[in-house]
PDB file of all heavy atoms in Angstrom:
ATOM      1  N   GLN A   1      -3.394 -24.106 -38.119  1.00  0.00           N
ATOM      2  CA  GLN A   1      -3.531 -25.541 -37.853  1.00  0.00           C
ATOM      3  C   GLN A   1      -2.537 -26.005 -36.795  1.00  0.00           C
ATOM      4  O   GLN A   1      -2.898 -26.725 -35.853  1.00  0.00           O
ATOM      5  CB  GLN A   1      -3.299 -26.341 -39.153  1.00  0.00           C
ATOM      6  CG  GLN A   1      -4.215 -25.989 -40.310  1.00  0.00           C
ATOM      7  CD  GLN A   1      -5.582 -26.626 -40.261  1.00  0.00           C
ATOM      8  OE1 GLN A   1      -6.113 -26.878 -39.183  1.00  0.00           O
ATOM      9  NE2 GLN A   1      -6.192 -26.864 -41.421  1.00  0.00           N
ATOM     10  N   ILE A   2      -1.281 -25.598 -36.923  1.00  0.00           N
ATOM     11  CA  ILE A   2      -0.256 -26.060 -35.982  1.00  0.00           C
ATOM     12  C   ILE A   2      -0.535 -25.528 -34.578  1.00  0.00           C
ATOM     13  O   ILE A   2      -0.335 -26.242 -33.585  1.00  0.00           O
ATOM     14  CB  ILE A   2       1.149 -25.657 -36.460  1.00  0.00           C
ATOM     15  CG1 ILE A   2       1.493 -26.397 -37.752  1.00  0.00           C
ATOM     16  CG2 ILE A   2       2.192 -25.965 -35.389  1.00  0.00           C
ATOM     17  CD1 ILE A   2       2.840 -26.045 -38.330  1.00  0.00           C
ATOM     18  N   ALA A   3      -0.996 -24.283 -34.458  1.00  0.00           N
ATOM     19  CA  ALA A   3      -1.303 -23.712 -33.144  1.00  0.00           C
ATOM     20  C   ALA A   3      -2.318 -24.565 -32.406  1.00  0.00           C
ATOM     21  O   ALA A   3      -2.169 -24.850 -31.205  1.00  0.00           O
ATOM     22  CB  ALA A   3      -1.811 -22.282 -33.291  1.00  0.00           C
ATOM     23  N   LEU A   4      -3.355 -25.009 -33.103  1.00  0.00           N
ATOM     24  CA  LEU A   4      -4.385 -25.815 -32.447  1.00  0.00           C
ATOM     25  C   LEU A   4      -3.913 -27.235 -32.180  1.00  0.00           C
ATOM     26  O   LEU A   4      -4.339 -27.853 -31.207  1.00  0.00           O
ATOM     27  CB  LEU A   4      -5.648 -25.815 -33.284  1.00  0.00           C
ATOM     28  CG  LEU A   4      -6.363 -24.466 -33.362  1.00  0.00           C
ATOM     29  CD1 LEU A   4      -7.710 -24.627 -34.067  1.00  0.00           C
ATOM     30  CD2 LEU A   4      -6.581 -23.855 -31.976  1.00  0.00           C
ATOM     31  N   GLN A   5      -3.038 -27.770 -33.032  1.00  0.00           N
ATOM     32  CA  GLN A   5      -2.462 -29.073 -32.748  1.00  0.00           C
ATOM     33  C   GLN A   5      -1.619 -29.018 -31.474  1.00  0.00           C
ATOM     34  O   GLN A   5      -1.648 -29.953 -30.662  1.00  0.00           O
ATOM     35  CB  GLN A   5      -1.623 -29.552 -33.937  1.00  0.00           C
ATOM     36  CG  GLN A   5      -2.457 -29.979 -35.139  1.00  0.00           C
ATOM     37  CD  GLN A   5      -1.596 -30.355 -36.323  1.00  0.00           C
ATOM     38  OE1 GLN A   5      -0.910 -29.534 -36.907  1.00  0.00           O
ATOM     39  NE2 GLN A   5      -1.625 -31.604 -36.703  1.00  0.00           N
ATOM     40  N   GLU A   6      -0.871 -27.940 -31.298  1.00  0.00           N
ATOM     41  CA  GLU A   6      -0.090 -27.778 -30.079  1.00  0.00           C
ATOM     42  C   GLU A   6      -1.007 -27.627 -28.861  1.00  0.00           C
ATOM     43  O   GLU A   6      -0.728 -28.181 -27.793  1.00  0.00           O
ATOM     44  CB  GLU A   6       0.831 -26.561 -30.193  1.00  0.00           C
ATOM     45  CG  GLU A   6       1.984 -26.750 -31.160  1.00  0.00           C
ATOM     46  CD  GLU A   6       2.956 -27.835 -30.715  1.00  0.00           C
ATOM     47  OE1 GLU A   6       3.129 -28.029 -29.484  1.00  0.00           O
ATOM     48  OE2 GLU A   6       3.529 -28.514 -31.593  1.00  0.00           O
ATOM     49  N   LEU A   7      -2.097 -26.886 -29.004  1.00  0.00           N
ATOM     50  CA  LEU A   7      -3.035 -26.721 -27.904  1.00  0.00           C
ATOM     51  C   LEU A   7      -3.660 -28.071 -27.527  1.00  0.00           C
ATOM     52  O   LEU A   7      -3.810 -28.380 -26.337  1.00  0.00           O
ATOM     53  CB  LEU A   7      -4.124 -25.719 -28.289  1.00  0.00           C
ATOM     54  CG  LEU A   7      -4.959 -25.132 -27.143  1.00  0.00           C
ATOM     55  CD1 LEU A   7      -4.096 -24.285 -26.210  1.00  0.00           C
ATOM     56  CD2 LEU A   7      -6.100 -24.289 -27.703  1.00  0.00           C
ATOM     57  N   ALA A   8      -4.010 -28.862 -28.529  1.00  0.00           N
ATOM     58  CA  ALA A   8      -4.566 -30.186 -28.266  1.00  0.00           C
ATOM     59  C   ALA A   8      -3.541 -31.091 -27.590  1.00  0.00           C
ATOM     60  O   ALA A   8      -3.876 -31.883 -26.700  1.00  0.00           O
ATOM     61  CB  ALA A   8      -5.060 -30.823 -29.560  1.00  0.00           C
ATOM     62  N   ASP A   9      -2.283 -30.977 -28.020  1.00  0.00           N
ATOM     63  CA  ASP A   9      -1.233 -31.793 -27.404  1.00  0.00           C
ATOM     64  C   ASP A   9      -1.064 -31.442 -25.925  1.00  0.00           C
ATOM     65  O   ASP A   9      -0.866 -32.333 -25.088  1.00  0.00           O
ATOM     66  CB  ASP A   9       0.089 -31.595 -28.155  1.00  0.00           C
ATOM     67  CG  ASP A   9       1.186 -32.501 -27.636  1.00  0.00           C
ATOM     68  OD1 ASP A   9       1.050 -33.725 -27.763  1.00  0.00           O
ATOM     69  OD2 ASP A   9       2.190 -31.988 -27.095  1.00  0.00           O
ATOM     70  N   ILE A  10      -1.150 -30.168 -25.603  1.00  0.00           N
ATOM     71  CA  ILE A  10      -1.098 -29.759 -24.197  1.00  0.00           C
ATOM     72  C   ILE A  10      -2.261 -30.379 -23.432  1.00  0.00           C
ATOM     73  O   ILE A  10      -2.092 -30.943 -22.341  1.00  0.00           O
ATOM     74  CB  ILE A  10      -1.132 -28.226 -24.076  1.00  0.00           C
ATOM     75  CG1 ILE A  10       0.172 -27.630 -24.608  1.00  0.00           C
ATOM     76  CG2 ILE A  10      -1.356 -27.798 -22.621  1.00  0.00           C
ATOM     77  CD1 ILE A  10       0.148 -26.116 -24.741  1.00  0.00           C
ATOM     78  N   ARG A  11      -3.469 -30.293 -23.994  1.00  0.00           N
ATOM     79  CA  ARG A  11      -4.661 -30.803 -23.305  1.00  0.00           C
ATOM     80  C   ARG A  11      -4.579 -32.314 -23.094  1.00  0.00           C
ATOM     81  O   ARG A  11      -4.927 -32.816 -22.017  1.00  0.00           O
ATOM     82  CB  ARG A  11      -5.910 -30.442 -24.105  1.00  0.00           C
ATOM     83  CG  ARG A  11      -7.223 -30.917 -23.476  1.00  0.00           C
ATOM     84  CD  ARG A  11      -8.413 -30.308 -24.200  1.00  0.00           C
ATOM     85  NE  ARG A  11      -8.467 -30.649 -25.597  1.00  0.00           N
ATOM     86  CZ  ARG A  11      -9.002 -31.763 -26.090  1.00  0.00           C
ATOM     87  NH1 ARG A  11      -9.538 -32.661 -25.288  1.00  0.00           N
ATOM     88  NH2 ARG A  11      -8.990 -31.984 -27.409  1.00  0.00           N
ATOM     89  N   HIS A  12      -4.102 -33.048 -24.095  1.00  0.00           N
ATOM     90  CA  HIS A  12      -4.054 -34.504 -23.999  1.00  0.00           C
ATOM     91  C   HIS A  12      -2.856 -35.019 -23.210  1.00  0.00           C
ATOM     92  O   HIS A  12      -2.975 -35.972 -22.441  1.00  0.00           O
ATOM     93  CB  HIS A  12      -4.014 -35.122 -25.398  1.00  0.00           C
ATOM     94  CG  HIS A  12      -5.308 -35.061 -26.150  1.00  0.00           C
ATOM     95  ND1 HIS A  12      -6.469 -35.690 -25.714  1.00  0.00           N
ATOM     96  CD2 HIS A  12      -5.638 -34.448 -27.318  1.00  0.00           C
ATOM     97  CE1 HIS A  12      -7.452 -35.470 -26.579  1.00  0.00           C
ATOM     98  NE2 HIS A  12      -6.971 -34.713 -27.559  1.00  0.00           N
ATOM     99  N   ASN A  13      -1.685 -34.402 -23.417  1.00  0.00           N
ATOM    100  CA  ASN A  13      -0.435 -34.989 -22.935  1.00  0.00           C
ATOM    101  C   ASN A  13       0.280 -34.194 -21.852  1.00  0.00           C
ATOM    102  O   ASN A  13       1.108 -34.759 -21.137  1.00  0.00           O
ATOM    103  CB  ASN A  13       0.523 -35.209 -24.112  1.00  0.00           C
ATOM    104  CG  ASN A  13      -0.064 -36.138 -25.154  1.00  0.00           C
ATOM    105  OD1 ASN A  13      -0.607 -37.189 -24.813  1.00  0.00           O
ATOM    106  ND2 ASN A  13       0.013 -35.763 -26.429  1.00  0.00           N
ATOM    107  N   SER A  14       0.001 -32.902 -21.712  1.00  0.00           N
ATOM    108  CA  SER A  14       0.629 -32.086 -20.667  1.00  0.00           C
ATOM    109  C   SER A  14      -0.412 -31.190 -20.000  1.00  0.00           C
ATOM    110  O   SER A  14      -0.260 -29.964 -19.956  1.00  0.00           O
ATOM    111  CB  SER A  14       1.763 -31.240 -21.260  1.00  0.00           C
ATOM    112  OG  SER A  14       2.738 -32.022 -21.904  1.00  0.00           O
ATOM    113  N   PRO A  15      -1.477 -31.776 -19.467  1.00  0.00           N
ATOM    114  CA  PRO A  15      -2.580 -30.956 -18.943  1.00  0.00           C
ATOM    115  C   PRO A  15      -2.185 -30.066 -17.770  1.00  0.00           C
ATOM    116  O   PRO A  15      -2.865 -29.069 -17.516  1.00  0.00           O
ATOM    117  CB  PRO A  15      -3.627 -32.001 -18.524  1.00  0.00           C
ATOM    118  CG  PRO A  15      -2.841 -33.263 -18.310  1.00  0.00           C
ATOM    119  CD  PRO A  15      -1.742 -33.226 -19.313  1.00  0.00           C
ATOM    120  N   GLU A  16      -1.096 -30.397 -17.100  1.00  0.00           N
ATOM    121  CA  GLU A  16      -0.658 -29.564 -15.982  1.00  0.00           C
ATOM    122  C   GLU A  16      -0.252 -28.153 -16.435  1.00  0.00           C
ATOM    123  O   GLU A  16      -0.265 -27.214 -15.629  1.00  0.00           O
ATOM    124  CB  GLU A  16       0.504 -30.233 -15.246  1.00  0.00           C
ATOM    125  CG  GLU A  16       1.831 -30.288 -16.004  1.00  0.00           C
ATOM    126  CD  GLU A  16       1.925 -31.405 -17.038  1.00  0.00           C
ATOM    127  OE1 GLU A  16       0.939 -32.176 -17.182  1.00  0.00           O
ATOM    128  OE2 GLU A  16       2.976 -31.507 -17.719  1.00  0.00           O
ATOM    129  N   LEU A  17       0.100 -27.988 -17.713  1.00  0.00           N
ATOM    130  CA  LEU A  17       0.508 -26.677 -18.210  1.00  0.00           C
ATOM    131  C   LEU A  17      -0.674 -25.714 -18.309  1.00  0.00           C
ATOM    132  O   LEU A  17      -0.551 -24.540 -17.989  1.00  0.00           O
ATOM    133  CB  LEU A  17       1.175 -26.815 -19.584  1.00  0.00           C
ATOM    134  CG  LEU A  17       2.484 -27.602 -19.642  1.00  0.00           C
ATOM    135  CD1 LEU A  17       2.977 -27.708 -21.080  1.00  0.00           C
ATOM    136  CD2 LEU A  17       3.540 -26.952 -18.761  1.00  0.00           C
ATOM    137  N   MET A  18      -1.801 -26.203 -18.792  1.00  0.00           N
ATOM    138  CA  MET A  18      -3.016 -25.402 -18.925  1.00  0.00           C
ATOM    139  C   MET A  18      -4.189 -26.275 -18.488  1.00  0.00           C
ATOM    140  O   MET A  18      -4.965 -26.760 -19.312  1.00  0.00           O
ATOM    141  CB  MET A  18      -3.176 -24.897 -20.364  1.00  0.00           C
ATOM    142  CG  MET A  18      -2.001 -24.044 -20.849  1.00  0.00           C
ATOM    143  SD  MET A  18      -2.045 -23.607 -22.622  1.00  0.00           S
ATOM    144  CE  MET A  18      -3.344 -22.363 -22.673  1.00  0.00           C
ATOM    145  N   PRO A  19      -4.336 -26.499 -17.180  1.00  0.00           N
ATOM    146  CA  PRO A  19      -5.254 -27.526 -16.673  1.00  0.00           C
ATOM    147  C   PRO A  19      -6.737 -27.240 -16.892  1.00  0.00           C
ATOM    148  O   PRO A  19      -7.570 -28.115 -16.684  1.00  0.00           O
ATOM    149  CB  PRO A  19      -4.917 -27.573 -15.180  1.00  0.00           C
ATOM    150  CG  PRO A  19      -4.304 -26.241 -14.869  1.00  0.00           C
ATOM    151  CD  PRO A  19      -3.565 -25.837 -16.097  1.00  0.00           C
ATOM    152  N   TYR A  20      -7.072 -26.064 -17.310  1.00  0.00           N
ATOM    153  CA  TYR A  20      -8.463 -25.650 -17.478  1.00  0.00           C
ATOM    154  C   TYR A  20      -9.000 -25.911 -18.891  1.00  0.00           C
ATOM    155  O   TYR A  20     -10.174 -25.677 -19.167  1.00  0.00           O
ATOM    156  CB  TYR A  20      -8.589 -24.148 -17.191  1.00  0.00           C
ATOM    157  CG  TYR A  20      -7.492 -23.345 -17.869  1.00  0.00           C
ATOM    158  CD1 TYR A  20      -7.539 -23.037 -19.221  1.00  0.00           C
ATOM    159  CD2 TYR A  20      -6.369 -22.939 -17.147  1.00  0.00           C
ATOM    160  CE1 TYR A  20      -6.534 -22.341 -19.852  1.00  0.00           C
ATOM    161  CE2 TYR A  20      -5.337 -22.224 -17.769  1.00  0.00           C
ATOM    162  CZ  TYR A  20      -5.431 -21.931 -19.115  1.00  0.00           C
ATOM    163  OH  TYR A  20      -4.419 -21.249 -19.735  1.00  0.00           O
ATOM    164  N   LEU A  21      -8.177 -26.405 -19.808  1.00  0.00           N
ATOM    165  CA  LEU A  21      -8.569 -26.513 -21.208  1.00  0.00           C
ATOM    166  C   LEU A  21      -9.709 -27.508 -21.407  1.00  0.00           C
ATOM    167  O   LEU A  21      -9.708 -28.602 -20.851  1.00  0.00           O
ATOM    168  CB  LEU A  21      -7.380 -26.947 -22.065  1.00  0.00           C
ATOM    169  CG  LEU A  21      -6.252 -25.938 -22.261  1.00  0.00           C
ATOM    170  CD1 LEU A  21      -5.123 -26.569 -23.073  1.00  0.00           C
ATOM    171  CD2 LEU A  21      -6.751 -24.674 -22.939  1.00  0.00           C
ATOM    172  N   ARG A  22     -10.646 -27.120 -22.255  1.00  0.00           N
ATOM    173  CA  ARG A  22     -11.688 -28.010 -22.746  1.00  0.00           C
ATOM    174  C   ARG A  22     -11.482 -28.224 -24.246  1.00  0.00           C
ATOM    175  O   ARG A  22     -10.656 -27.539 -24.853  1.00  0.00           O
ATOM    176  CB  ARG A  22     -13.071 -27.437 -22.440  1.00  0.00           C
ATOM    177  CG  ARG A  22     -13.411 -27.441 -20.942  1.00  0.00           C
ATOM    178  CD  ARG A  22     -14.833 -26.964 -20.661  1.00  0.00           C
ATOM    179  NE  ARG A  22     -15.179 -27.083 -19.237  1.00  0.00           N
ATOM    180  CZ  ARG A  22     -16.364 -26.826 -18.713  1.00  0.00           C
ATOM    181  NH1 ARG A  22     -17.361 -26.426 -19.502  1.00  0.00           N
ATOM    182  NH2 ARG A  22     -16.577 -26.976 -17.407  1.00  0.00           N
ATOM    183  N   PRO A  23     -12.207 -29.151 -24.881  1.00  0.00           N
ATOM    184  CA  PRO A  23     -11.844 -29.567 -26.237  1.00  0.00           C
ATOM    185  C   PRO A  23     -12.038 -28.544 -27.353  1.00  0.00           C
ATOM    186  O   PRO A  23     -11.359 -28.584 -28.375  1.00  0.00           O
ATOM    187  CB  PRO A  23     -12.738 -30.803 -26.481  1.00  0.00           C
ATOM    188  CG  PRO A  23     -13.066 -31.319 -25.115  1.00  0.00           C
ATOM    189  CD  PRO A  23     -13.166 -30.099 -24.247  1.00  0.00           C
ATOM    190  N   ASP A  24     -12.986 -27.629 -27.228  1.00  0.00           N
ATOM    191  CA  ASP A  24     -13.326 -26.735 -28.334  1.00  0.00           C
ATOM    192  C   ASP A  24     -12.348 -25.567 -28.394  1.00  0.00           C
ATOM    193  O   ASP A  24     -12.051 -24.944 -27.372  1.00  0.00           O
ATOM    194  CB  ASP A  24     -14.758 -26.218 -28.147  1.00  0.00           C
ATOM    195  CG  ASP A  24     -15.322 -25.548 -29.389  1.00  0.00           C
ATOM    196  OD1 ASP A  24     -14.622 -25.479 -30.419  1.00  0.00           O
ATOM    197  OD2 ASP A  24     -16.492 -25.085 -29.333  1.00  0.00           O
ATOM    198  N   SER A  25     -11.869 -25.237 -29.577  1.00  0.00           N
ATOM    199  CA  SER A  25     -10.990 -24.074 -29.732  1.00  0.00           C
ATOM    200  C   SER A  25     -10.934 -23.654 -31.194  1.00  0.00           C
ATOM    201  O   SER A  25     -11.237 -24.430 -32.100  1.00  0.00           O
ATOM    202  CB  SER A  25      -9.579 -24.347 -29.201  1.00  0.00           C
ATOM    203  OG  SER A  25      -8.994 -25.462 -29.821  1.00  0.00           O
ATOM    204  N   LYS A  26     -10.523 -22.396 -31.406  1.00  0.00           N
ATOM    205  CA  LYS A  26     -10.365 -21.825 -32.747  1.00  0.00           C
ATOM    206  C   LYS A  26      -9.113 -20.971 -32.770  1.00  0.00           C
ATOM    207  O   LYS A  26      -8.702 -20.427 -31.747  1.00  0.00           O
ATOM    208  CB  LYS A  26     -11.585 -20.977 -33.132  1.00  0.00           C
ATOM    209  CG  LYS A  26     -12.905 -21.717 -33.136  1.00  0.00           C
ATOM    210  CD  LYS A  26     -14.061 -20.809 -33.477  1.00  0.00           C
ATOM    211  CE  LYS A  26     -14.064 -20.469 -34.956  1.00  0.00           C
ATOM    212  NZ  LYS A  26     -15.311 -19.740 -35.360  1.00  0.00           N
ATOM    213  N   SER A  27      -8.526 -20.861 -33.939  1.00  0.00           N
ATOM    214  CA  SER A  27      -7.375 -19.977 -34.121  1.00  0.00           C
ATOM    215  C   SER A  27      -7.552 -19.193 -35.412  1.00  0.00           C
ATOM    216  O   SER A  27      -8.290 -19.598 -36.315  1.00  0.00           O
ATOM    217  CB  SER A  27      -6.066 -20.767 -34.162  1.00  0.00           C
ATOM    218  OG  SER A  27      -6.042 -21.620 -35.295  1.00  0.00           O
ATOM    219  N   GLN A  28      -6.838 -18.090 -35.492  1.00  0.00           N
ATOM    220  CA  GLN A  28      -6.861 -17.269 -36.700  1.00  0.00           C
ATOM    221  C   GLN A  28      -5.554 -16.501 -36.779  1.00  0.00           C
ATOM    222  O   GLN A  28      -5.165 -15.828 -35.820  1.00  0.00           O
ATOM    223  CB  GLN A  28      -8.055 -16.314 -36.647  1.00  0.00           C
ATOM    224  CG  GLN A  28      -8.293 -15.493 -37.902  1.00  0.00           C
ATOM    225  CD  GLN A  28      -9.584 -14.729 -37.836  1.00  0.00           C
ATOM    226  OE1 GLN A  28     -10.655 -15.286 -37.994  1.00  0.00           O
ATOM    227  NE2 GLN A  28      -9.496 -13.432 -37.574  1.00  0.00           N
ATOM    228  N   PHE A  29      -4.871 -16.594 -37.918  1.00  0.00           N
ATOM    229  CA  PHE A  29      -3.608 -15.894 -38.108  1.00  0.00           C
ATOM    230  C   PHE A  29      -3.720 -14.962 -39.309  1.00  0.00           C
ATOM    231  O   PHE A  29      -4.173 -15.360 -40.379  1.00  0.00           O
ATOM    232  CB  PHE A  29      -2.458 -16.881 -38.330  1.00  0.00           C
ATOM    233  CG  PHE A  29      -1.905 -17.467 -37.061  1.00  0.00           C
ATOM    234  CD1 PHE A  29      -2.632 -18.388 -36.326  1.00  0.00           C
ATOM    235  CD2 PHE A  29      -0.658 -17.084 -36.588  1.00  0.00           C
ATOM    236  CE1 PHE A  29      -2.129 -18.927 -35.154  1.00  0.00           C
ATOM    237  CE2 PHE A  29      -0.143 -17.610 -35.421  1.00  0.00           C
ATOM    238  CZ  PHE A  29      -0.877 -18.541 -34.694  1.00  0.00           C
ATOM    239  N   THR A  30      -3.289 -13.735 -39.099  1.00  0.00           N
ATOM    240  CA  THR A  30      -3.174 -12.753 -40.170  1.00  0.00           C
ATOM    241  C   THR A  30      -1.697 -12.545 -40.463  1.00  0.00           C
ATOM    242  O   THR A  30      -0.914 -12.252 -39.555  1.00  0.00           O
ATOM    243  CB  THR A  30      -3.823 -11.423 -39.773  1.00  0.00           C
ATOM    244  OG1 THR A  30      -5.218 -11.629 -39.492  1.00  0.00           O
ATOM    245  CG2 THR A  30      -3.683 -10.395 -40.885  1.00  0.00           C
ATOM    246  N   VAL A  31      -1.327 -12.708 -41.726  1.00  0.00           N
ATOM    247  CA  VAL A  31       0.065 -12.576 -42.145  1.00  0.00           C
ATOM    248  C   VAL A  31       0.192 -11.395 -43.103  1.00  0.00           C
ATOM    249  O   VAL A  31      -0.655 -11.200 -43.983  1.00  0.00           O
ATOM    250  CB  VAL A  31       0.565 -13.865 -42.825  1.00  0.00           C
ATOM    251  CG1 VAL A  31       1.965 -13.672 -43.421  1.00  0.00           C
ATOM    252  CG2 VAL A  31       0.571 -15.022 -41.813  1.00  0.00           C
ATOM    253  N   GLU A  32       1.248 -10.607 -42.922  1.00  0.00           N
ATOM    254  CA  GLU A  32       1.548  -9.518 -43.844  1.00  0.00           C
ATOM    255  C   GLU A  32       2.453 -10.036 -44.962  1.00  0.00           C
ATOM    256  O   GLU A  32       3.459 -10.712 -44.706  1.00  0.00           O
ATOM    257  CB  GLU A  32       2.232  -8.371 -43.113  1.00  0.00           C
ATOM    258  CG  GLU A  32       2.572  -7.179 -44.004  1.00  0.00           C
ATOM    259  CD  GLU A  32       3.253  -6.051 -43.273  1.00  0.00           C
ATOM    260  OE1 GLU A  32       3.119  -5.957 -42.030  1.00  0.00           O
ATOM    261  OE2 GLU A  32       3.956  -5.243 -43.940  1.00  0.00           O
ATOM    262  N   TYR A  33       2.069  -9.724 -46.217  1.00  0.00           N
ATOM    263  CA  TYR A  33       2.835 -10.109 -47.397  1.00  0.00           C
ATOM    264  C   TYR A  33       3.377  -8.861 -48.090  1.00  0.00           C
ATOM    265  O   TYR A  33       2.761  -7.783 -48.027  1.00  0.00           O
ATOM    266  CB  TYR A  33       1.948 -10.872 -48.392  1.00  0.00           C
ATOM    267  CG  TYR A  33       1.579 -12.279 -47.965  1.00  0.00           C
ATOM    268  CD1 TYR A  33       0.525 -12.505 -47.088  1.00  0.00           C
ATOM    269  CD2 TYR A  33       2.273 -13.375 -48.445  1.00  0.00           C
ATOM    270  CE1 TYR A  33       0.173 -13.794 -46.709  1.00  0.00           C
ATOM    271  CE2 TYR A  33       1.930 -14.667 -48.081  1.00  0.00           C
ATOM    272  CZ  TYR A  33       0.888 -14.868 -47.214  1.00  0.00           C
ATOM    273  OH  TYR A  33       0.535 -16.148 -46.841  1.00  0.00           O
ATOM    274  N   ASP A  34       4.522  -9.015 -48.780  1.00  0.00           N
ATOM    275  CA  ASP A  34       5.037  -7.902 -49.567  1.00  0.00           C
ATOM    276  C   ASP A  34       4.470  -7.938 -50.983  1.00  0.00           C
ATOM    277  O   ASP A  34       3.645  -8.814 -51.314  1.00  0.00           O
ATOM    278  CB  ASP A  34       6.574  -7.894 -49.573  1.00  0.00           C
ATOM    279  CG  ASP A  34       7.188  -9.108 -50.279  1.00  0.00           C
ATOM    280  OD1 ASP A  34       6.495  -9.797 -51.051  1.00  0.00           O
ATOM    281  OD2 ASP A  34       8.396  -9.359 -50.058  1.00  0.00           O
ATOM    282  N   GLU A  35       4.890  -7.006 -51.831  1.00  0.00           N
ATOM    283  CA  GLU A  35       4.339  -6.902 -53.181  1.00  0.00           C
ATOM    284  C   GLU A  35       4.656  -8.124 -54.038  1.00  0.00           C
ATOM    285  O   GLU A  35       3.977  -8.384 -55.030  1.00  0.00           O
ATOM    286  CB  GLU A  35       4.869  -5.643 -53.860  1.00  0.00           C
ATOM    287  CG  GLU A  35       4.381  -4.344 -53.227  1.00  0.00           C
ATOM    288  CD  GLU A  35       4.942  -3.111 -53.902  1.00  0.00           C
ATOM    289  OE1 GLU A  35       6.008  -3.231 -54.559  1.00  0.00           O
ATOM    290  OE2 GLU A  35       4.332  -2.021 -53.799  1.00  0.00           O
ATOM    291  N   SER A  36       5.671  -8.874 -53.652  1.00  0.00           N
ATOM    292  CA  SER A  36       6.036 -10.094 -54.377  1.00  0.00           C
ATOM    293  C   SER A  36       5.350 -11.324 -53.796  1.00  0.00           C
ATOM    294  O   SER A  36       5.712 -12.460 -54.118  1.00  0.00           O
ATOM    295  CB  SER A  36       7.556 -10.282 -54.365  1.00  0.00           C
ATOM    296  OG  SER A  36       8.211  -9.190 -54.977  1.00  0.00           O
ATOM    297  N   HIS A  37       4.378 -11.112 -52.895  1.00  0.00           N
ATOM    298  CA  HIS A  37       3.575 -12.173 -52.276  1.00  0.00           C
ATOM    299  C   HIS A  37       4.402 -13.076 -51.358  1.00  0.00           C
ATOM    300  O   HIS A  37       4.084 -14.251 -51.180  1.00  0.00           O
ATOM    301  CB  HIS A  37       2.856 -13.006 -53.342  1.00  0.00           C
ATOM    302  CG  HIS A  37       2.118 -12.181 -54.359  1.00  0.00           C
ATOM    303  ND1 HIS A  37       1.033 -11.382 -54.027  1.00  0.00           N
ATOM    304  CD2 HIS A  37       2.329 -12.024 -55.685  1.00  0.00           C
ATOM    305  CE1 HIS A  37       0.611 -10.762 -55.115  1.00  0.00           C
ATOM    306  NE2 HIS A  37       1.374 -11.123 -56.130  1.00  0.00           N
ATOM    307  N   ARG A  38       5.450 -12.507 -50.759  1.00  0.00           N
ATOM    308  CA  ARG A  38       6.257 -13.234 -49.789  1.00  0.00           C
ATOM    309  C   ARG A  38       5.864 -12.819 -48.371  1.00  0.00           C
ATOM    310  O   ARG A  38       5.666 -11.632 -48.096  1.00  0.00           O
ATOM    311  CB  ARG A  38       7.742 -12.966 -50.019  1.00  0.00           C
ATOM    312  CG  ARG A  38       8.285 -13.534 -51.328  1.00  0.00           C
ATOM    313  CD  ARG A  38       9.714 -13.119 -51.565  1.00  0.00           C
ATOM    314  NE  ARG A  38       9.841 -11.664 -51.670  1.00  0.00           N
ATOM    315  CZ  ARG A  38      10.824 -11.023 -52.260  1.00  0.00           C
ATOM    316  NH1 ARG A  38      11.789 -11.726 -52.833  1.00  0.00           N
ATOM    317  NH2 ARG A  38      10.874  -9.715 -52.291  1.00  0.00           N
ATOM    318  N   PRO A  39       5.736 -13.783 -47.457  1.00  0.00           N
ATOM    319  CA  PRO A  39       5.392 -13.440 -46.072  1.00  0.00           C
ATOM    320  C   PRO A  39       6.465 -12.567 -45.423  1.00  0.00           C
ATOM    321  O   PRO A  39       7.663 -12.849 -45.551  1.00  0.00           O
ATOM    322  CB  PRO A  39       5.303 -14.806 -45.374  1.00  0.00           C
ATOM    323  CG  PRO A  39       5.204 -15.808 -46.450  1.00  0.00           C
ATOM    324  CD  PRO A  39       5.880 -15.239 -47.648  1.00  0.00           C
ATOM    325  N   VAL A  40       6.028 -11.502 -44.766  1.00  0.00           N
ATOM    326  CA  VAL A  40       6.936 -10.572 -44.104  1.00  0.00           C
ATOM    327  C   VAL A  40       6.914 -10.752 -42.599  1.00  0.00           C
ATOM    328  O   VAL A  40       7.951 -10.786 -41.949  1.00  0.00           O
ATOM    329  CB  VAL A  40       6.575  -9.113 -44.464  1.00  0.00           C
ATOM    330  CG1 VAL A  40       7.434  -8.130 -43.676  1.00  0.00           C
ATOM    331  CG2 VAL A  40       6.702  -8.873 -45.955  1.00  0.00           C
TER     332      VAL A  40
END
C-alpha cells in the first residue's frame, strides 16, 4: 500500500521525477518470516 501511495505522490506532486507515469499501477511484496512468524 505505501509503495503505491508514494508512486501516486510522485505522479501528482513531483511529476518531474518520473514524468511518464500514468494512473494505473500495482504492487506486490513477498516477505520472509521465521518460525516464530516474525518478518526477517
Side-chain angles (χ1 to χ4, degrees):
Q1 303 279 31
I2 294 178
L4 292 188
Q5 287 176 294
E6 289 295 328
L7 196 65
D9 185 64
I10 291 171
R11 180 170 60 85
H12 287 298
N13 300 314
S14 303
E16 70 280 0
L17 296 177
M18 301 172 74
Y20 46 78
L21 290 177
R22 291 184 175 184
D24 193 0
S25 57
K26 301 178 74 171
S27 64
Q28 186 172 284
F29 278 71
T30 300
V31 173
E32 180 180 338
Y33 288 82
D34 65 18
E35 293 179 338
S36 300
H37 311 295
R38 293 174 299 202
V40 175

